Amino acid sequence: MSDVRTYPDPAASGPIPTPGGPLSYVHWGPVIAGAVVAAAVWSVLMAFAAAVGMMIASPSPTWRDTSVWLALLSGLWIIVVTTGSYALGGYIAGRVRSSWKADPDEVEFRDGTHGLLVWAVGVVLSIALLWATAAAHSALNNATAQPREAAGAPTFLAYELDRLFRSDRRLDPVSQDVRSEASRLLMKGMGRQEMPSEDRAHLVRVVSGATGLPPADAERRVIQVLTEARNSAAQARRSAVILGFATAAALAAAAAAAWFAAGEGGKHRDGEFAPPLRFGRATPVVGARTTYP
Protein backbone atom coordinates (compact mmCIF):
# COMPACT_ATOMS: atom_id res chain seq x y z
CA MET A 1 0.00 0.00 0.00
CA SER A 2 1.17 3.54 -0.62
CA ASP A 3 1.70 6.12 2.08
CA VAL A 4 -0.53 9.14 1.42
CA ARG A 5 0.26 12.38 3.25
CA THR A 6 -2.39 15.10 3.29
CA TYR A 7 -1.60 18.75 3.97
CA PRO A 8 -4.04 21.66 4.36
CA ASP A 9 -4.46 24.19 1.63
CA PRO A 10 -1.24 26.27 1.47
CA ALA A 11 -3.31 29.40 0.89
CA ALA A 12 -5.33 28.90 4.07
CA SER A 13 -4.41 30.91 7.16
CA GLY A 14 -4.62 29.79 10.75
CA PRO A 15 -3.46 26.99 13.00
CA ILE A 16 -2.59 23.62 11.54
CA PRO A 17 -4.58 21.03 13.51
CA THR A 18 -2.33 18.38 15.02
CA PRO A 19 -3.42 15.50 17.24
CA GLY A 20 -3.40 16.88 20.76
CA GLY A 21 -1.65 20.07 19.70
CA PRO A 22 -2.53 23.46 21.20
CA LEU A 23 -3.99 26.08 18.91
CA SER A 24 -3.20 29.18 20.97
CA TYR A 25 -0.51 31.69 20.09
CA VAL A 26 1.68 30.68 23.05
CA HIS A 27 2.23 26.95 23.56
CA TRP A 28 3.33 26.55 27.17
CA GLY A 29 3.98 22.83 26.93
CA PRO A 30 6.97 23.19 24.57
CA VAL A 31 8.13 26.28 26.47
CA ILE A 32 8.21 24.45 29.81
CA ALA A 33 9.80 21.38 28.23
CA GLY A 34 12.57 23.45 26.67
CA ALA A 35 13.12 25.42 29.88
CA VAL A 36 13.40 22.25 31.98
CA VAL A 37 15.91 20.75 29.54
CA ALA A 38 17.95 23.97 29.46
CA ALA A 39 18.00 24.31 33.26
CA ALA A 40 18.91 20.65 33.72
CA VAL A 41 21.80 20.75 31.22
CA TRP A 42 23.04 24.01 32.71
CA SER A 43 22.95 22.62 36.26
CA VAL A 44 24.80 19.42 35.31
CA LEU A 45 27.57 21.22 33.45
CA MET A 46 27.99 23.84 36.19
CA ALA A 47 28.14 21.10 38.81
CA PHE A 48 30.83 19.36 36.76
CA ALA A 49 32.89 22.54 36.63
CA ALA A 50 32.52 23.03 40.38
CA ALA A 51 33.54 19.42 41.03
CA VAL A 52 36.84 19.76 39.13
CA GLY A 53 37.65 23.07 40.87
CA MET A 54 37.19 25.23 37.78
CA MET A 55 34.47 27.37 39.33
CA ILE A 56 35.04 29.91 42.07
CA ALA A 57 31.89 28.53 43.70
CA SER A 58 33.65 25.20 44.27
CA PRO A 59 34.95 24.26 47.74
CA SER A 60 38.63 24.43 46.70
CA PRO A 61 39.31 28.14 46.04
CA THR A 62 38.74 30.76 48.71
CA TRP A 63 38.46 34.52 48.64
CA ARG A 64 42.18 34.70 49.46
CA ASP A 65 43.65 32.57 46.67
CA THR A 66 41.18 33.17 43.85
CA SER A 67 43.22 34.21 40.82
CA VAL A 68 42.12 36.46 37.99
CA TRP A 69 42.84 33.66 35.50
CA LEU A 70 40.52 31.31 37.36
CA ALA A 71 37.85 34.01 37.30
CA LEU A 72 38.33 34.46 33.53
CA LEU A 73 38.16 30.71 32.92
CA SER A 74 35.07 30.43 35.09
CA GLY A 75 33.46 33.36 33.29
CA LEU A 76 34.17 31.81 29.88
CA TRP A 77 32.70 28.51 31.04
CA ILE A 78 29.57 30.28 32.29
CA ILE A 79 29.07 31.99 28.92
CA VAL A 80 29.60 28.82 26.86
CA VAL A 81 27.45 26.59 29.07
CA THR A 82 24.60 29.08 29.45
CA THR A 83 24.48 29.87 25.73
CA GLY A 84 24.59 26.22 24.68
CA SER A 85 22.00 25.08 27.24
CA TYR A 86 19.41 27.67 26.26
CA ALA A 87 20.08 27.19 22.56
CA LEU A 88 19.18 23.53 23.06
CA GLY A 89 16.06 24.42 25.05
CA GLY A 90 14.97 26.99 22.47
CA TYR A 91 15.46 24.53 19.62
CA ILE A 92 13.34 21.93 21.39
CA ALA A 93 10.54 24.43 21.99
CA GLY A 94 10.56 25.61 18.37
CA ARG A 95 10.73 22.08 17.00
CA VAL A 96 7.88 20.55 19.01
CA ARG A 97 5.37 23.40 19.18
CA SER A 98 2.32 23.19 16.92
CA SER A 99 2.66 24.64 13.45
CA TRP A 100 0.87 27.82 12.46
CA LYS A 101 0.05 28.71 8.91
CA ALA A 102 0.88 32.38 8.45
CA ASP A 103 3.40 34.69 6.84
CA PRO A 104 6.93 33.24 7.19
CA ASP A 105 8.11 36.31 9.10
CA GLU A 106 5.22 35.95 11.53
CA VAL A 107 5.97 32.25 12.05
CA GLU A 108 9.63 33.04 12.67
CA PHE A 109 8.70 35.73 15.18
CA ARG A 110 6.39 33.38 17.09
CA ASP A 111 9.05 30.66 17.15
CA GLY A 112 11.60 33.16 18.45
CA THR A 113 9.17 34.35 21.08
CA HIS A 114 8.81 30.80 22.33
CA GLY A 115 12.60 30.56 22.56
CA LEU A 116 12.68 33.78 24.58
CA LEU A 117 10.03 32.36 26.91
CA VAL A 118 12.20 29.25 27.33
CA TRP A 119 15.05 31.53 28.39
CA ALA A 120 12.89 33.43 30.90
CA VAL A 121 11.39 30.32 32.50
CA GLY A 122 14.75 28.55 32.49
CA VAL A 123 16.48 31.43 34.28
CA VAL A 124 13.84 31.31 37.00
CA LEU A 125 14.29 27.53 37.33
CA SER A 126 18.09 27.87 37.47
CA ILE A 127 17.87 30.51 40.19
CA ALA A 128 15.51 28.28 42.16
CA LEU A 129 17.94 25.35 41.83
CA LEU A 130 20.86 27.51 42.98
CA TRP A 131 18.87 28.82 45.92
CA ALA A 132 17.81 25.32 46.96
CA THR A 133 21.39 24.04 46.67
CA ALA A 134 22.78 26.95 48.67
CA ALA A 135 20.11 26.53 51.35
CA ALA A 136 20.81 22.80 51.66
CA HIS A 137 24.55 23.41 51.83
CA SER A 138 24.12 26.08 54.48
CA ALA A 139 21.84 23.86 56.55
CA LEU A 140 24.36 21.01 56.33
CA ASN A 141 27.21 23.25 57.46
CA ASN A 142 25.17 24.60 60.36
CA ALA A 143 24.27 21.09 61.45
CA THR A 144 27.77 19.61 61.23
CA ALA A 145 30.01 22.47 62.32
CA GLN A 146 30.05 25.05 65.06
CA PRO A 147 30.83 28.60 63.99
CA ARG A 148 34.33 29.68 64.95
CA GLU A 149 33.55 33.33 65.46
CA ALA A 150 30.93 34.98 67.63
CA ALA A 151 29.98 38.39 68.96
CA GLY A 152 30.03 40.05 65.57
CA ALA A 153 33.36 38.73 64.24
CA PRO A 154 33.15 37.88 60.50
CA THR A 155 34.15 34.29 59.83
CA PHE A 156 36.03 35.10 56.61
CA LEU A 157 38.65 36.93 58.72
CA ALA A 158 39.23 33.91 60.99
CA TYR A 159 42.57 33.09 59.38
CA GLU A 160 43.79 36.70 59.68
CA LEU A 161 42.80 36.76 63.35
CA ASP A 162 44.64 33.48 63.95
CA ARG A 163 47.78 34.96 62.45
CA LEU A 164 47.34 38.19 64.35
CA PHE A 165 47.15 36.49 67.76
CA ARG A 166 49.55 33.60 67.10
CA SER A 167 51.97 33.15 69.99
CA ASP A 168 54.30 30.50 71.39
CA ARG A 169 53.95 31.87 74.94
CA ARG A 170 50.18 31.95 75.29
CA LEU A 171 48.37 28.84 76.44
CA ASP A 172 44.84 30.18 76.88
CA PRO A 173 42.86 31.13 73.75
CA VAL A 174 42.11 34.77 73.05
CA SER A 175 38.64 35.77 74.18
CA GLN A 176 35.91 36.24 71.60
CA ASP A 177 35.48 39.87 72.59
CA VAL A 178 39.11 40.63 71.78
CA ARG A 179 38.93 38.80 68.45
CA SER A 180 35.70 40.60 67.56
CA GLU A 181 37.19 44.00 68.28
CA ALA A 182 40.31 43.16 66.27
CA SER A 183 38.22 41.96 63.33
CA ARG A 184 36.22 45.19 63.26
CA LEU A 185 39.42 47.20 63.25
CA LEU A 186 40.80 45.09 60.41
CA MET A 187 37.59 45.51 58.42
CA LYS A 188 37.80 49.28 58.78
CA GLY A 189 41.46 49.27 57.80
CA MET A 190 40.82 47.09 54.73
CA GLY A 191 38.47 49.68 53.28
CA ARG A 192 41.05 52.47 53.40
CA GLN A 193 44.53 53.15 52.11
CA GLU A 194 45.78 53.67 55.65
CA MET A 195 44.29 52.64 58.98
CA PRO A 196 43.70 55.59 61.31
CA SER A 197 46.68 56.01 63.62
CA GLU A 198 44.52 55.79 66.74
CA ASP A 199 42.96 52.48 65.61
CA ARG A 200 46.33 51.05 64.62
CA ALA A 201 47.93 52.00 67.94
CA HIS A 202 45.05 50.39 69.82
CA LEU A 203 45.25 47.22 67.72
CA VAL A 204 49.00 47.04 68.34
CA ARG A 205 48.41 47.26 72.08
CA VAL A 206 45.76 44.54 71.91
CA VAL A 207 48.03 42.21 69.91
CA SER A 208 51.02 42.93 72.14
CA GLY A 209 49.01 42.24 75.30
CA ALA A 210 47.44 39.04 73.93
CA THR A 211 50.62 37.55 72.44
CA GLY A 212 53.39 38.93 74.66
CA LEU A 213 55.21 40.41 71.66
CA PRO A 214 57.17 43.64 72.02
CA PRO A 215 55.25 46.67 70.68
CA ALA A 216 57.57 46.98 67.66
CA ASP A 217 57.06 43.31 66.65
CA ALA A 218 53.33 43.58 67.27
CA GLU A 219 53.15 46.64 65.02
CA ARG A 220 55.01 44.84 62.22
CA ARG A 221 52.60 41.92 62.50
CA VAL A 222 49.58 44.21 62.37
CA ILE A 223 50.90 45.98 59.27
CA GLN A 224 51.74 42.70 57.54
CA VAL A 225 48.39 41.05 58.27
CA LEU A 226 46.47 44.17 57.26
CA THR A 227 48.41 44.53 53.98
CA GLU A 228 47.86 40.90 53.00
CA ALA A 229 44.17 41.05 53.89
CA ARG A 230 43.74 44.25 51.86
CA ASN A 231 45.46 42.70 48.81
CA SER A 232 43.35 39.54 49.06
CA ALA A 233 40.15 41.55 49.31
CA ALA A 234 41.11 43.63 46.26
CA GLN A 235 41.83 40.45 44.30
CA ALA A 236 38.49 38.99 45.34
CA ARG A 237 36.72 42.17 44.22
CA ARG A 238 38.37 41.98 40.79
CA SER A 239 37.28 38.36 40.44
CA ALA A 240 33.74 39.27 41.47
CA VAL A 241 33.61 42.00 38.80
CA ILE A 242 34.78 39.54 36.14
CA LEU A 243 32.22 36.95 37.17
CA GLY A 244 29.44 39.52 37.33
CA PHE A 245 30.22 40.75 33.81
CA ALA A 246 30.47 37.17 32.52
CA THR A 247 27.11 36.29 34.08
CA ALA A 248 25.40 39.29 32.47
CA ALA A 249 27.01 38.52 29.10
CA ALA A 250 26.00 34.85 29.41
CA LEU A 251 22.35 35.75 30.07
CA ALA A 252 22.25 38.13 27.10
CA ALA A 253 23.92 35.58 24.80
CA ALA A 254 21.58 32.85 26.05
CA ALA A 255 18.50 34.95 25.23
CA ALA A 256 19.74 35.54 21.68
CA ALA A 257 20.73 31.87 21.27
CA ALA A 258 17.31 30.67 22.47
CA TRP A 259 15.55 33.03 20.05
CA PHE A 260 17.50 31.95 16.96
CA ALA A 261 17.60 28.27 17.94
CA ALA A 262 13.82 28.26 18.31
CA GLY A 263 13.57 29.75 14.81
CA GLU A 264 15.76 26.99 13.43
CA GLY A 265 13.67 24.40 15.24
CA GLY A 266 10.55 25.89 13.70
CA LYS A 267 12.04 25.69 10.20
CA HIS A 268 12.91 22.03 10.72
CA ARG A 269 9.40 21.41 12.08
CA ASP A 270 7.78 22.92 9.00
CA GLY A 271 9.57 20.67 6.55
CA GLU A 272 12.90 22.36 5.85
CA PHE A 273 16.08 20.35 6.11
CA ALA A 274 16.51 18.90 9.59
CA PRO A 275 19.65 17.19 10.94
CA PRO A 276 19.26 13.43 11.38
CA LEU A 277 18.54 12.29 14.91
CA ARG A 278 19.80 8.74 14.44
CA PHE A 279 22.78 6.99 12.90
CA GLY A 280 22.61 5.02 9.67
CA ARG A 281 20.94 5.62 6.35
CA ALA A 282 17.23 6.35 6.21
CA THR A 283 15.12 3.80 4.36
CA PRO A 284 12.95 5.47 1.71
CA VAL A 285 9.26 4.67 1.71
CA VAL A 286 8.32 2.93 -1.52
CA GLY A 287 5.30 4.37 -3.25
CA ALA A 288 5.01 7.41 -0.96
CA ARG A 289 3.33 10.44 -2.48
CA THR A 290 2.07 13.79 -1.31
CA THR A 291 -1.37 15.16 -2.03
CA TYR A 292 -3.01 18.49 -1.28
CA PRO A 293 -6.74 19.10 -1.06
Side-chain angles (χ1 to χ4, degrees), residues 108-119:
E108 184 177 359
F109 174 79
R110 293 176 185 176
D111 289 333
T113 301
H114 281 73
L116 198 61
L117 289 173
V118 167
W119 170 80

Side-chain angles (χ1 to χ4, degrees), residues 126-172:
S126 299
I127 293 175
L129 288 174
L130 286 177
W131 178 84
T133 302
H137 184 70
S138 177
L140 180 61
N141 288 341
N142 293 336
T144 58
Q146 295 294 330
R148 289 196 52 192
E149 303 297 329
T155 56
F156 65 86
L157 284 177
Y159 175 73
E160 279 69 24
L161 295 175
D162 290 339
R163 288 194 57 199
L164 199 62
F165 294 110
R166 187 177 298 165
S167 176
D168 296 332
R169 306 177 186 178
R170 188 188 69 251
L171 297 179
D172 297 331

Side-chain angles (χ1 to χ4, degrees), residues 275-284:
L277 301 179
R278 59 185 178 184
F279 296 102
R281 295 182 58 186
T283 303

